[in-house]
Amino acid sequence: MHAAASDANWYGNDFNPTQVSHARNFAQNANTSVMLSDDSFEQFAQRDDLPEFDFICMHGIWSWISPENQQYVVDFVSRHLKVGGVFYLSYNVGPGFIVFEPVRHIISELNKHVLGTAMSPEQKLNSFKDVLNKLIEAKPSYAAVFPGLAKRIEQTLEHDFHYLSGEYLNSYWDVTHHSVVAEKLQSAKLNFAISAHGTDLMDSLNLTTEQQQYLAQFRGTPMYETLRDFIVNRQFRADFFAKGVCHMTAAEQKREYNSLAVVLVKAMEDFEYSIDSRLGKAELRKDVYEPVLKVLSDHKPHTIAQIKEKVSDATKGEVKDEHVSEAVNALVFSGNCEPAITDEQTIKRNVDKCHAMNISIINDFNDTPLAFLASPVTQGALSVGKVTLMVLQIYLKHNRPENREVMENDVMEILTSGKNTLNNEGKPVTDPDEQRKIIKNLIKDFYTKQLPLISGLQLI
């Protein structure tokens, strides 16, 4: 999707050839050029036909591969990341995962030595549940020391077997610490830059005043992130490491920041003026966020400098620039906004590729687990949901009708016939009048909330 939405040359590697084949077919549908391979870590690290990259991404891999393969990754990044380039890496960390490790080991041993190979995934999952539930009922001392363990087991076993297999049943399963990973990457001349989880950067949402004061003495040292992980009980990190970190002056940082653009990717009407955080629900100032959201409500990209100017004019200077910056950051970090580009020529070059890919996804929504569409404005993917894909298919089939009734009739037929069941708040709805009411509201939201977003992001 990134290849369809941008001018960049994209490369991808997965040792599973089925995944590579699927990705190639997907790219072909969008007339998108992307270089894909199914090399092992060793093979990929030793290739001499690859360029230097501006950005290398590795998500959900590091903690599930051998130390030898981890070193191949480090060697690859050392050879192929440009000076000034960025490496994204996600990985499991203690202390949030350490407590659960014995449970993971039990699941793995059950799968290897107790459960039959002929058992179906559902049968294996039920066996995991039976063994672990009875283990907790036996009141083990380990569970007494860690009172949240029973709930953690219950939440883990809510996932399907495919998830559990990928997450917990690999031959290698590594729980490490940020400082260990950072030290290993220093051999590739990489330094930790910043967490990729935006909300991590908002201390007021994650740390008490006492915790912030304690950590302040370690800021800028290798200890800071490790101690912070301990305080927040983190179990998974996603970080940016850079090759050749250069610190900006305050003036440079302000200029670069104000030139960045963002776009609203959710309906303004649905914004709740609050953010869930580690410390609970944080209420947001409506007098600050509302004028910012009004500027962004056209779902078109605006630079932060433009947002500040328009908000200042609308509020007669009552909302200061620093408050706008804080609001924009929170909107991006919480997923309400996305970074965007404003260059119309770049958008035009990629819009046809995005449309071709998106039409393919919409037409095949019943046969694919994908629920994302590509945007040339964000140069990436946007989560839209399976119901929206279904409604979009009907919308395009009827040549983008203004008459909502034809849409309502088709959606009604699909959602209330065959194997489909219309639900409301998790409960099936069988009364025809109630079904019609729910579908009317669904189509109303599609026209009033989703179509302006789809249009602004140039998805179809």
Side-chain angles (χ1 to χ4, degrees):
M1 285 191 167
H2 291 284
S6 70
D7 289 338
N9 295 319
W10 289 86
Y11 292 71
N13 184 70
D14 193 310
F15 64 85
N16 185 339
T18 302
Q19 299 279 29
V20 174
S21 178
H22 174 74
R24 283 179 176 167
N25 291 335
F26 192 53
Q28 188 175 11
N29 289 337
N31 299 317
T32 297
S33 176
V34 57
M35 282 58 75
L36 301 169
S37 57
D38 63 340
D39 296 333
S40 68
F41 290 102
E42 180 181 9
Q43 290 170 330
F44 200 63
Q46 293 177 353
R47 283 176 58 171
D48 57 9
D49 61 335
L50 298 173
E52 287 189 322
F53 296 101
D54 297 293
F55 182 73
I56 297 174
C57 173
M58 189 177 205
H59 181 71
I61 304 293
W62 182 267
S63 296
W64 295 269
I65 59 177
S66 68
E68 181 183 22
N69 281 329
Q70 288 179 351
Q71 187 58 50
Y72 285 131
V73 172
V74 175
D75 294 342
F76 179 85
V77 173
S78 178
R79 289 181 59 202
H80 291 286
L81 185 67
K82 286 182 181 178
V83 172
V86 174
F87 177 45
Y88 167 95
L89 182 68
S90 64
Y91 51 100
N92 291 335
V93 291
F97 241 130
I98 295 296
V99 170
F100 195 72
E101 202 287 328
V103 178
R104 183 212 67 85
H105 183 69
I106 290 171
I107 293 174
S108 178
E109 291 298 291
L110 282 171
N111 188 61
K112 285 193 294 186
H113 302 303
V114 178
L115 304 184
T117 56
M119 293 178 69
S120 69
E122 185 178 359
Q123 289 173 324
K124 287 188 175 184
L125 182 59
N126 288 333
S127 294
F128 292 159
K129 290 179 180 179
D130 183 59
V131 170
L132 291 173
N133 287 336
K134 288 179 178 177
L135 177 62
I136 293 299
E137 289 172 4
K139 299 186 178 357
S141 297
Y142 192 78
V145 174
F146 301 107
L149 185 64
K151 184 66 175 177
R152 176 81 175 270
I153 292 173
E154 179 185 341
Q155 292 172 339
T156 299
L157 295 179
E158 288 175 355
H159 296 286
D160 60 25
F161 183 81
H162 177 74
Y163 171 86
L164 293 177
S165 178
E167 187 74 23
Y168 300 116
L169 303 182
N170 278 299
S171 299
Y172 295 96
W173 196 80
D174 180 37
V175 175
T176 185
H177 299 278
H178 167 79
S179 57
V180 174
V181 173
E183 184 176 350
K184 182 171 289 191
L185 291 176
Q186 282 178 355
S187 67
K189 299 182 180 179
L190 296 183
N191 290 307
F192 172 70
I194 200 167
S195 169
H197 291 146
T199 50
D200 289 350
L201 309 178
M202 304 177 71
D203 284 349
S204 61
L205 298 182
N206 296 284
L207 303 170
T208 65
T209 301
E210 184 180 17
Q211 290 166 348
Q212 292 180 54
Q213 290 173 346
Y214 172 79
L215 283 172
Q217 63 186 307
F218 299 100
R219 189 175 293 277
T221 74
M223 284 295 297
Y224 181 84
E225 295 296 324
T226 296
L227 290 169
R228 196 179 191 281
D229 287 347
F230 188 86
I231 287 174
V232 302
N233 196 33
R234 187 179 306 285
Q235 67 181 47
F236 186 77
R237 286 188 66 100
D239 292 332
F240 291 121
F241 295 86
K243 192 174 189 177
V245 175
C246 295
H247 296 282
M248 295 181 180
T249 65
E252 289 172 332
Q253 188 179 48
K254 181 178 180 180
R255 183 172 62 251
E256 290 295 323
Y257 176 78
N258 284 335
S259 70
L260 298 174
V262 298
V263 63
L264 186 65
V265 297
K266 294 183 180 178
M268 176 182 172
E269 300 90 334
D270 294 337
F271 189 69
E272 297 182 351
Y273 295 95
S274 64
I275 292 181
D276 292 328
S277 73
R278 173 178 168 266
L279 302 180
K281 189 177 288 291
E283 300 299 326
L284 304 175
R285 288 178 53 184
K286 192 172 183 177
D287 63 315
V288 172
Y289 281 78
E290 188 172 57
V292 171
L293 287 166
K294 283 183 177 179
V295 172
L296 295 167
S297 62
D298 60 0
H299 300 292
K300 294 180 180 179
H302 299 264
T303 67
I304 294 174
Q306 291 170 340
I307 298 170
K308 288 178 176 178
E309 182 180 356
K310 291 177 181 179
V311 169
S312 180
D313 290 344
T315 63
K316 295 181 169 54
E318 290 186 11
V319 177
K320 305 301 180 185
D321 282 359
E322 57 267 28
H323 296 142
V324 174
S325 296
E326 182 180 308
V328 169
N329 292 346
L331 289 169
V332 172
F333 297 160
S334 61
N336 288 281
C337 284
E338 296 253 353
I341 62 170
T342 56
D343 181 38
E344 289 294 335
Q345 293 304 313
T346 303
I347 292 172
K348 286 180 181 178
R349 281 197 301 271
N350 296 299
V351 69
D352 288 343
K353 291 188 296 177
C354 288
H355 287 180
M357 177 171 285
N358 293 342
I359 295 300
S360 174
I361 293 170
I362 290 167
N363 288 339
D364 296 336
F365 85 93
N366 272 324
D367 302 317
T368 176
L370 283 173
F372 295 85
L373 297 176
S375 168
V377 177
T378 65
Q379 298 197 305
L382 181 76
S383 175
V384 294
K386 297 292 282 186
V387 172
T388 298
L389 291 180
M390 176 201 68
V391 175
L392 277 170
Q393 188 185 73
I394 296 169
Y395 180 71
L396 294 176
K397 181 183 78 171
H398 289 291
N399 198 24
R400 308 175 191 242
E402 295 184 8
N403 181 0
R404 300 181 187 181
E405 187 174 350
V406 67
M407 295 282 292
E408 293 170 4
N409 291 337
D410 274 22
V411 173
M412 182 81 170
E413 181 179 350
I414 291 173
L415 292 183
T416 60
S417 63
K419 297 180 180 179
N420 296 317
T421 302
L422 184 62
N423 292 299
N424 185 29
E425 297 181 353
K427 298 179 180 179
V429 178
T430 56
D431 179 68
D433 291 337
E434 187 64 23
Q435 289 175 339
R436 176 66 68 174
K437 180 180 177 182
I438 291 171
I439 289 172
K440 274 184 173 291
N441 287 333
L442 173 68
I443 299 304
K444 177 185 176 182
D445 283 350
F446 174 76
Y447 275 90
T448 60
K449 296 179 181 180
Q450 293 178 300
L451 270 186
L453 169 62
I454 290 166
S455 175
L457 296 178
Q458 302 192 38
L459 301 181
I460 58 172

